[in-house]
Amino acid sequence: MTTARFQYAGALEQQNRIAQRTAYVGFIAATHGFRQTVRSEVPGRTNPDPLREAQRALRDAYIAVELEGPPSVLTAADAVVATGGALAQFIYNDAELMEAWRTLHNAARTQERATTALQALRDVQRVLAQTQPDERGALSNRNDQARQDHENGLQTPAARWFAAYQEARQAVYDTGGLLTDDQAEELLLDASLFPQNALERVLHVTSEFEETAARFVQVARIYLNDTQPEIT
């Protein structure tokens, strides 16, 4: 290779690296923006889609990474976009439910009735967590067998769950007007279906997003710092 061609190839490689670094920095900035929006905005009737702009910025930044590559960095960016989308969808679907849990948690700091209701809901979740997956179909306040087992003093998983559910229902509706009827029913349903409540589940999804965001930074840094131009 002539000196001129060698210099041209080197200059071109340097330009490519600058473009890649710019794309990666833009994607990281969009990730930070999405993170901050998730932390500060809560969907509601007056603000139904607070993450729309942050998601759009993340997708636009992803397009730049997709153009610049390489595959290792693009794969890491794919994971960020996927977990970010999952987090946004979770927040959209369960915004009102999470607000009900927040209301109960906050009130439990000072109100005995709220503390009792929160503990009763946790008891429902504890019984659910201790029940084998193939037995969970019998856990229902409308299940005649569960009711009969409870009334007959049997210690079946369904009977234990039925007793815990009935206590939780009474406690949730006895919070002195803290919760609306719809909120009470949402909390009871959530506790009946998941061993973790909505607030705990969103923390798990958020953790996955944070892990993929950190992984992208790591992969991008390794590529930019450790990969040498290949000039032939």
Side-chain angles (χ1 to χ4, degrees):
M1 176 180 287
T2 65
T3 300
R5 291 181 60 192
F6 186 88
Q7 290 176 341
Y8 174 77
L12 183 60
E13 177 64 24
Q14 184 178 16
Q15 291 176 0
N16 288 340
R17 283 305 179 85
I18 292 173
Q20 288 172 328
R21 182 180 293 274
T22 300
Y24 303 164
V25 169
F27 187 78
I28 293 170
T31 300
H32 286 322
F34 180 82
R35 179 187 295 113
Q36 289 302 117
T37 304
V38 168
R39 290 174 177 174
S40 61
E41 299 290 341
V42 177
R45 291 187 177 88
T46 60
N47 191 24
D49 200 356
L51 300 181
R52 179 178 299 172
E53 293 302 321
Q55 281 189 286
R56 181 180 293 114
L58 189 61
R59 287 193 294 267
D60 290 346
Y62 171 81
I63 291 173
V65 176
E66 188 176 31
L67 179 63
E68 297 297 336
S72 61
V73 178
L74 182 58
T75 297
D78 282 335
V80 175
V81 174
T83 55
L87 177 57
Q89 193 62 47
F90 191 99
I91 291 173
Y92 293 148
N93 290 343
D94 287 340
E96 293 184 5
L97 176 58
M98 287 189 290
E99 184 59 32
W101 278 110
R102 287 192 193 95
T103 298
L104 190 59
H105 273 278
N106 291 338
R109 299 171 184 171
T110 57
Q111 299 181 27
E112 183 176 353
R113 288 183 179 182
T115 302
T116 300
L118 185 59
Q119 183 58 55
L121 289 168
R122 285 174 175 164
D123 288 343
V124 175
Q125 293 174 312
R126 176 180 52 78
V127 174
L128 178 64
Q130 293 173 349
T131 303
Q132 296 298 320
D134 60 347
E135 297 177 323
R136 290 182 180 178
L139 308 186
S140 170
N141 64 314
R142 298 183 179 89
N143 187 288
D144 290 338
Q145 187 62 52
R147 184 186 298 274
Q148 290 176 13
D149 285 358
H150 172 64
E151 291 175 350
N152 292 331
L154 301 180
Q155 290 301 310
T156 63
R160 289 194 296 271
W161 183 92
F162 186 86
Y165 180 90
Q166 293 303 111
E167 290 184 13
R169 185 175 184 82
Q170 180 176 348
V172 168
Y173 274 93
D174 189 29
T175 54
L178 175 66
L179 303 168
T180 67
D181 288 352
D182 287 342
Q183 286 178 318
E185 289 298 328
E186 286 287 341
L187 293 178
L188 286 164
L189 179 61
D190 192 48
S192 300
L193 296 177
F194 303 101
Q196 293 180 317
N197 67 46
L199 293 178
E200 294 166 337
R201 296 198 303 277
V202 78
L203 287 176
H204 176 74
V205 180
T206 300
S207 177
E208 291 182 339
F209 172 75
E210 294 293 349
E211 289 173 4
T212 59
R215 176 61 179 165
F216 175 83
V217 174
Q218 181 185 31
V219 171
R221 180 183 292 123
I222 290 173
Y223 175 74
L224 290 173
N225 292 342
D226 295 348
T227 304
Q228 299 299 318
E230 296 180 3
I231 303 174
T232 58

